[in-house]
């Protein structure tokens, strides 16, 4: 049984808490937040606190607070030589105060408080200094059904950056498609199955192999038609840049 | 029972043929392709031909050939006053020769010959001149389990354009993420659950509501870190443009 104290009450902390609660192998001893109101509804099922000096002794302290707050909060922890991990894609492992055993438990997903999430779909990127800590963090991930991967700080940084491309930027393309369709009274909803299919396709096929369409084929007639349809200059910039990008990838054009 | 002749043997024609074969209400009388070899493996289950003068009489002729070939092929058809439809997102309905009853049966999905496709996930955008033709095309779509939508030519054009954003461009963002991760020896595979989740999220939530991340938050520290990490100037261009786009959408910046 791995004993855990969770610090923070945001999206990630809350999802982790709920996931750990359902497992046999991880015991959440205590939940800390600077603002106790945020976790008060859980007071009957777990020891809650807003007082760092009352933190219980545990195998792992999961510091899941805003990136900027990780460093300061780990410094304020009134103990040493215990395993303290953060959950961030961008914060350095060395931002955890040096008096602790340090680790990272980075869940590579997009969390929002309302949406349910199956941790089977949340790869946990683990970084640790000792093999013992690594295996403890791995067991913690396995307990909630997550796949795990040993990821060093440089790799974690690029994964976080790549996540912005496949999550935030992709979502913005959906948004542009929404604007384009609405402007003609067409229904964005009609695109939803295609959105899903596009994401499913690269589960088995590389994005390179999965590519199709006018840019890849260098189908000038369709590219022209599209350029003329695009009345919003900003949409046009995106169209031009990503068309160029596809053509470069598929050997049609120099950048 | 709706009788159908399919013309063309590409991705769409082949998927349509297979889907119609499994239904009760649509009967594929004949399959035409200029190159008969492409459909010869079906000769025991359907009448195949490469001879336009031998086309059977049917309720609908589905011309699913390359966009550029639609006009010429419909002109060459040796009959008139029958319902002839194409399956293209960009070809005008008026490109179908004027001697025919014209229609469009545009499946809004990305087809590839190898991948299986459930037509429940293929919205059919229907355009027709008469209400009778419209209902016949609608029944044909219903027979294969597809949702349908009446879509005029302007709407179809913008849907096709928007499809390029959510399919080809999104796939290119996956490709860039692939390049970024591989360059640091990180695993693209770790991003796959996030890719799926991002697509699933907008099935119920508008892309506007679904957006998160450093650009939307205007989190300058992370945006700076990312910009420094991006060594490929082309990736940086995409990063900058889509970051600006998100900030514009969410009221952070003028374009
Ligand atoms: N959201 C995601 O999709 C996601 C995915 C992977 C990793 N992460 C990482 O997980 C961590 C938490 O992210 P989140 O999205 O869960 O955050 P969040 O929902 O914004 O919540 C932030 C939490 O941090 C606490 N906090 C902020 N400043 C603090 C300070 N100075 N001292 C103590 N506590 C402080 C807040 O406390 P109050 O309740 O008192 O305000 C709140 O509980 C971050 O490192 C983030 O990079 C997030
Ligand atoms: N692929 C998609 O994802 C998709 C999605 C929605 C709509 N569409 C539309 O569906 C239609 C077909 O697309 P596709 O992807 O299935 O095409 P495809 O796989 O490229 O196949 C093209 C077909 O057109 C035939 N063809 C080409 N030029 C011809 C000519 N001059 N005369 C007679 N036949 C000719 C080809 O015959 P040969 O076999 O003899 O070469 C081949 O059978 C297009 O209008 C396309 O815009 C495609």
């Amino acid at each position: 049984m791995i004993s855990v104290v969770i610090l923070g009450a945001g999206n990630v902390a809350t999802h982790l808490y709920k996931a750990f609660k359902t497992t046999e192998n991880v015991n959440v001893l205590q939940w800390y937040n600077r603002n106790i109101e945020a976790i008060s509804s859980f007071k009957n099922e777990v020891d809650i606190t807003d007082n760092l000096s009352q933190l219980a002794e545990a195998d792992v302290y999961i510091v899941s607070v805003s990136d900027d707050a990780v460093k300061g909060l780990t410094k304020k922890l009134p103990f040493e030589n215990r395993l303290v991990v953060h959950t961030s894609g961008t914060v350095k492992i060395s931002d955890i105060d040096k008096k602790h055993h340090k680790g990272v438990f980075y869940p590579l997903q997009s969390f929002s408080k309302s949406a349910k999430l199956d941790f089977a779909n949340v790869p946990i990127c683990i970084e640790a200094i000792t093999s013992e800590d690594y295996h403890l963090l791995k067991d913690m991930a396995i307990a909630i059904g997550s796949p795990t991967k040993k990821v060093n700080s440089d790799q974690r940084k690029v994964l976080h950056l790549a996540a912005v491309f496949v999550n935030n930027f992709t979502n913005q393309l959906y948004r542009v498609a929404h604007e384009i369709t609405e402007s003609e009274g067409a229904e964005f909803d009609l695109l939803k199955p295609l959105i899903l299919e596009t994401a499913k396709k690269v589960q088995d096929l590389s994005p390179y192999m999965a590519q199709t369409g006018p840019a890849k084929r260098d189908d000038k007639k369709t590219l022209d038609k599209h350029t003329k349809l695009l009345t919003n200059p900003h949409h046009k910039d995106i169209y031009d840049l990503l068309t160029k990008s596809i053509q470069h990838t598929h050997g049609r054009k120099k950048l």
Side-chain angles (χ1 to χ4, degrees), chain A residues 197-213:
Chain A
E197 191 60 29
T198 305
K200 278 188 191 152
K201 212 167 168 188
V202 294
Q203 304 295 311
D204 305 313
L205 218 60
S206 73
Y208 184 87
M209 294 302 294
Q211 192 59 281
T212 62

Side-chain angles (χ1 to χ4, degrees), chain A residues 9-12 33-35 64-67 69 87-88 107 109-111:
Chain A
N11 293 314
V12 173
N33 198 44
R34 61 171 179 186
N35 156 26
S64 192
V65 298
S66 312
D67 288 352
T87 61
S88 170
Q109 248 309 350
S110 169
F111 291 83

Side-chain angles (χ1 to χ4, degrees), chain A residues 7-14 32-36 38 63-70 72-73 76 86-91 105-113 160 167:
Chain A
L7 298 98
N11 293 314
V12 173
T14 305
Y32 163 93
N33 198 44
R34 61 171 179 186
N35 156 26
I36 202 158
V63 177
S64 192
V65 298
S66 312
D67 288 352
D68 286 346
V70 171
L73 183 56
K76 277 199 281 183
H86 71 64
T87 61
S88 170
T90 52
V91 174
F105 192 83
Y106 169 49
L108 186 30
Q109 248 309 350
S110 169
F111 291 83
S112 44
K113 250 182 192 163
H160 185 266
N167 177 21

Side-chain angles (χ1 to χ4, degrees), chain A residues 14 19 21 25 28 36 58 60 65 75 86 89 92 95 160 175 178 192 209 213 215 229-230 232 250:
Chain A
T14 305
K21 275 306 268 190
N25 299 325
V28 182
I36 202 158
V60 197
V65 298
K75 203 179 164 81
H86 71 64
K92 283 181 283 186
D95 273 7
H160 185 266
R175 165 67 192 185
H178 197 176
K192 289 180 176 178
M209 294 302 294
L229 263 180
L230 285 161
N232 181 325
H250 294 275

Side-chain angles (χ1 to χ4, degrees), chain A residues 32-180:
Chain A
Y32 163 93
N33 198 44
R34 61 171 179 186
N35 156 26
I36 202 158
E37 275 312 304
I39 48 176
S40 61
S41 62
F42 298 91
K43 68 167 180 266
N44 294 327
E45 41 177 280
V46 63
D47 179 21
I48 63 170
T49 184
D50 58 1
N51 187 341
L52 290 176
S53 68
Q54 280 172 9
L55 287 183
E57 181 159 357
D59 295 325
V60 197
Y61 296 79
I62 303 177
V63 177
S64 192
V65 298
S66 312
D67 288 352
D68 286 346
V70 171
K71 192 170 185 168
L73 183 56
T74 63
K75 203 179 164 81
K76 277 199 281 183
L77 294 177
F79 51 75
E80 53 186 32
N81 294 324
R82 298 187 196 162
L83 179 57
V84 174
V85 302
H86 71 64
T87 61
S88 170
T90 52
V91 174
K92 283 181 283 186
I93 191 171
S94 58
D95 273 7
I96 296 169
D97 195 81
K98 61 181 183 305
K99 68 185 169 184
H100 305 298
H101 295 183
K102 298 188 259 284
V104 180
F105 192 83
Y106 169 49
L108 186 30
Q109 248 309 350
S110 169
F111 291 83
S112 44
K113 250 182 192 163
S114 55
K116 272 218 160 184
L117 202 68
D118 181 348
F119 271 84
N121 301 320
V122 183
I124 308 280
C125 302
I126 298 177
E127 189 173 0
I129 310 294
T130 71
S131 151
E132 196 188 334
D133 290 347
Y134 172 74
H135 282 101
L136 189 145
L137 295 174
K138 183 164 174 160
D139 287 344
M140 208 162 73
I142 290 171
I144 53 178
S146 290
T148 69
K149 185 77 197 168
K150 198 177 200 166
V151 162
N152 67 33
S153 284
D154 287 341
Q155 291 167 336
R156 184 158 44 83
K157 274 191 284 185
V158 299
L159 282 167
H160 185 266
L161 171 59
V164 166
F165 279 79
V166 304
N167 177 21
N168 306 148
F169 292 171
T170 290
N171 188 74
Q172 183 64 8
L173 293 181
Y174 302 159
R175 165 67 192 185
V176 171
H178 197 176
E179 291 174 3
I180 291 174

